[in-house]
Amino acid sequence: KIIIILPGLFWITCLFSAVIGLLRSFGSEKEMNAFSMLLCSPIDRANIYIGKMIAVWVFIVITQLVTIPLFTIFLGFNIPEDIFSFIGFILLTDWALAAVGTSVSGIGMRTRMGEVLVPLLLYPLLTPVLISAVKVTSELMRGKEYINYSFWIMIIFTFSVVFSIAGYLMFDAISEE
């Protein structure tokens, strides 16, 4: 009965790949002190956050473009009949992962043990998003109506908006030494 655990397995795979991308997002700039030079550039620091968030979002989407066919071929992942709702839901969930992850990665970048701190902060913060994503994926795979999973979509949307705005407003303070 792998079909029952398949939505959870899919989103855990997406989360682990997102964490790898998040760690590399700020890690490459930390090595040569490039982040300090980026902060000296004549742009608003909040725009750096938006750029990082979009880059992480694109990384997660590309990763899912690879993993969804593999899950379909090897594990029998059924793509829902309402493909547009499924694509919109995946893009919204990826936005939530990118918004929360970029904020947490910015915090972890300035610490010595950032590679350990980022997952420790990220997993508890993303737990409601992952639970919601698994519930929505399960309902979509069963062909249920929107009313059955609208509550879970609202949780994902709320996390996306709140962490995007909070990250945008706080990135100036996060990026300070």
Side-chain angles (χ1 to χ4, degrees):
K1 297 291 181 175
I2 196 164
I3 302 298
I4 296 170
I5 64 167
L6 204 52
L9 184 64
F10 171 72
W11 283 108
I12 289 295
T13 304
C14 293
L15 176 65
F16 286 147
S17 64
V19 168
I20 291 170
L22 286 165
L23 289 174
R24 292 305 309 152
S25 172
F26 283 99
S28 60
E29 293 169 347
K30 185 179 178 182
E31 291 171 3
M32 298 285 202
N33 206 18
F35 193 70
S36 296
M37 290 185 271
L38 184 63
L39 292 177
C40 292
S41 64
I43 60 171
D44 187 22
R45 291 182 180 179
N47 292 337
I48 296 171
Y49 169 79
I50 296 295
K52 290 274 187 197
M53 187 179 75
I54 291 171
V56 168
W57 181 79
V58 168
F59 174 78
I60 295 170
V61 168
I62 290 172
T63 303
Q64 287 176 339
L65 287 174
V66 172
T67 57
I68 289 175
L70 293 175
F71 266 71
T72 303
I73 293 169
F74 294 116
L75 298 175
F77 185 78
N78 295 330
I79 303 220
E81 292 178 14
D82 190 4
I83 191 76
F84 295 113
S85 295
F86 184 64
I87 291 171
F89 151 69
I90 283 184
L91 294 177
L92 178 66
T93 306
D94 293 345
W95 176 25
L97 291 173
V100 176
T102 305
S103 300
V104 170
S105 291
I107 294 168
M109 182 197 61
R110 293 294 188 173
T111 63
R112 269 185 208 193
M113 299 293 291
E115 294 82 17
V116 175
L117 182 65
V118 169
L120 282 176
L121 292 174
L122 191 63
Y123 293 149
L125 285 173
L126 282 177
T127 299
V129 174
L130 288 176
I131 291 171
S132 301
V134 169
K135 295 281 188 181
V136 172
T137 304
S138 177
E139 296 296 318
L140 279 171
M141 287 176 73
R142 292 184 188 138
K144 300 285 178 135
E145 295 293 319
Y146 176 74
I147 194 72
N148 293 324
Y149 56 85
S150 63
F151 173 75
W152 302 108
I153 292 284
M154 288 299 148
I155 291 174
I156 296 170
F157 181 75
T158 302
F159 265 77
S160 302
V161 170
V162 167
F163 275 93
S164 294
I165 292 171
Y168 182 81
L169 295 175
M170 293 185 332
F171 194 74
D172 192 26
I174 290 173
S175 60
E176 289 294 322
E177 287 194 46

